[in-house]
Amino acid sequence: MATSDPNTPASLNAAPVATEHPPLSKVEASKRLAAYKAVEDHFDPSYRYIGIGSGSTVVYVVEAIAAKGRNVTSKMIFIPTVEVGHTKLSAVQALKVSVGLQDLGLKGKREAIDVAFDGADEIDEELNCIKGGGACLFQEKLVATSAKKFICVADFRKLVPRLLTNWKTIPIEVAPKAAPTIKRILITLGSPDPVIRQGGSAKAGPVVTDNGMWIMDAPFPPLKLASDLEEGDKGDGTHGTWEVHQLGRRLKRIVGVLEIGIFHGRNGLQVSNSGEEGGGQRPVAAYFGMENGEVEVRNAKEIEGIKSRP
């Protein structure tokens, strides 16, 4: 008889229970449609390792996967990015999984997560993402970059032409001791007022992540794509403009920054076609539940293998 795997979210270990759900709002209904379509297209019963993110849309991803039945899900190991039910993959465990130190029962063999599903705060037309509204960006990026396929699921509000159109800040996970210096550097890079995210009415003081870090929300003007840049402008901030990849690389070089909420660079197809291990930060596909009840699917156009860039 199959037993519950300790890495499996409780909702996927539990037997399906028939329940009546209250009517969903238009936004929630669109999320559910996108989630079911994403699972239909990218979930395979032969998969062994499934990454489960922390976005609000992922509730419906889990629901869609659970509907496959225990005879399918009991054979899988689910890697969550945050606490799910009573299960938690700690930051240390997530790091060990991503670099192969924890082999998930593979007896020392290095193997990628087959597919990872997660949401996003914004997604541009080239599938670059802003994530970190829930302060879980480090774990989310660990799982995404450990997966052969990262699939993003969202509602119509998250689809934008350029990042930072509606979501105005980049979440950055920082070491508390380095926060004052990081803020000064961000201001010199063109962020007018970076702030430490506070815990709200339920908590006095800064939000503390699972890694003991703080979240700094840094506003920037909407980020350019390479195709937007004028001749002579590299998008490196010199002319007051930042291209997505250029800003992502620059922020990661700041001492005291653990991770940033820009998911950019290569996708899993490009990593695989380059002959390298692991996955990419960008999704290979994004699913958007639209207001009209349809699901818009955007697939990555870039599939050629390219080596990683510093």
Side-chain angles (χ1 to χ4, degrees):
M1 183 175 67
T3 58
S4 296
D5 189 281
N7 280 325
T8 303
S11 55
L12 290 171
N13 268 327
V17 177
T19 57
E20 290 189 7
H21 298 284
L24 296 176
S25 67
K26 181 177 292 187
V27 169
E28 291 303 309
S30 71
K31 291 179 182 180
R32 192 171 189 267
L33 285 170
Y36 271 76
K37 176 61 174 171
V39 170
E40 176 186 339
D41 290 350
H42 293 281
F43 180 87
D44 192 301
S46 68
Y47 287 164
R48 175 68 170 158
Y49 303 102
I50 312 295
I52 298 293
S54 53
S56 61
T57 316
V58 177
V59 172
Y60 303 110
V61 170
V62 172
E63 179 184 297
I65 293 175
K68 302 293 183 181
R70 287 287 296 131
N71 62 321
V72 173
T73 60
S74 64
K75 303 170 186 176
M76 298 173 170
I77 294 175
F78 292 84
I79 314 298
T81 60
V82 292
E83 187 171 352
V84 183
H86 299 293
T87 302
K88 183 174 181 179
L89 184 70
S90 70
V92 173
Q93 288 174 313
L95 180 60
K96 288 180 178 180
V97 167
S98 70
V99 300
L101 294 178
Q102 181 173 326
D103 62 18
L104 299 175
L106 296 173
K107 297 182 169 43
K109 294 185 294 182
R110 179 72 170 94
E111 186 169 325
I113 296 171
D114 293 295
V115 64
F117 296 95
D118 204 354
D121 300 308
E122 276 193 338
I123 309 169
D124 72 17
E125 63 186 38
E126 290 189 355
L127 304 191
N128 299 294
C129 303
I130 292 285
K131 291 171 57 60
C136 305
L137 57 153
F138 176 62
Q139 289 93 321
E140 289 172 344
K141 195 166 284 190
L142 278 176
V143 171
T145 56
S146 297
K148 298 174 185 176
K149 296 193 299 182
F150 166 34
I151 307 299
C152 208
V153 186
D155 63 76
F156 54 90
R157 301 171 302 171
K158 309 302 176 63
L159 176 58
V160 296
R162 302 294 182 267
L163 295 184
L164 300 180
T165 296
N166 298 321
W167 191 272
K168 299 299 185 181
T169 62
I170 300 170
I172 304 173
E173 191 164 354
V174 305
K177 288 183 179 180
T181 300
I182 292 172
K183 178 169 182 171
R184 288 196 296 271
I185 293 172
L186 289 171
I187 291 172
T188 66
L189 294 178
S191 180
D193 186 25
V195 296
I196 298 297
R197 188 182 300 177
Q198 301 300 304
S201 59
K203 179 186 182 298
V207 168
V208 179
T209 71
D210 290 341
N211 314 300
M213 303 288 190
W214 290 352
I215 296 293
M216 185 173 289
D217 292 310
F220 279 91
L223 301 184
K224 304 288 187 179
L225 300 177
S227 59
D228 299 329
L229 299 175
E230 298 180 2
E231 186 176 354
D233 187 356
K234 297 180 180 179
D236 59 0
T238 302
H239 298 281
T241 56
W242 281 106
E243 183 265 336
V244 175
H245 188 66
Q246 292 283 358
L247 182 58
R249 293 194 301 173
R250 180 63 186 90
L251 295 179
K252 279 287 287 182
R253 294 202 302 268
I254 301 174
V255 175
V257 168
L258 174 64
E259 194 48 82
I260 66 170
I262 306 176
F263 283 54
H264 65 104
R266 299 183 299 170
N267 58 53
L269 294 175
Q270 291 175 297
V271 174
S272 175
N273 290 336
S274 72
E276 297 179 337
E277 290 188 352
Q281 296 184 30
R282 278 197 297 171
V284 301
Y287 286 70
F288 300 93
M290 307 306 288
E291 288 184 279
N292 61 4
E294 297 180 354
V295 176
E296 181 172 331
V297 183
R298 298 206 172 185
N299 293 298
K301 298 177 182 178
E302 303 88 352
I303 61 172
E304 72 283 358
I306 57 173
K307 298 295 182 180
S308 60
R309 291 186 286 171

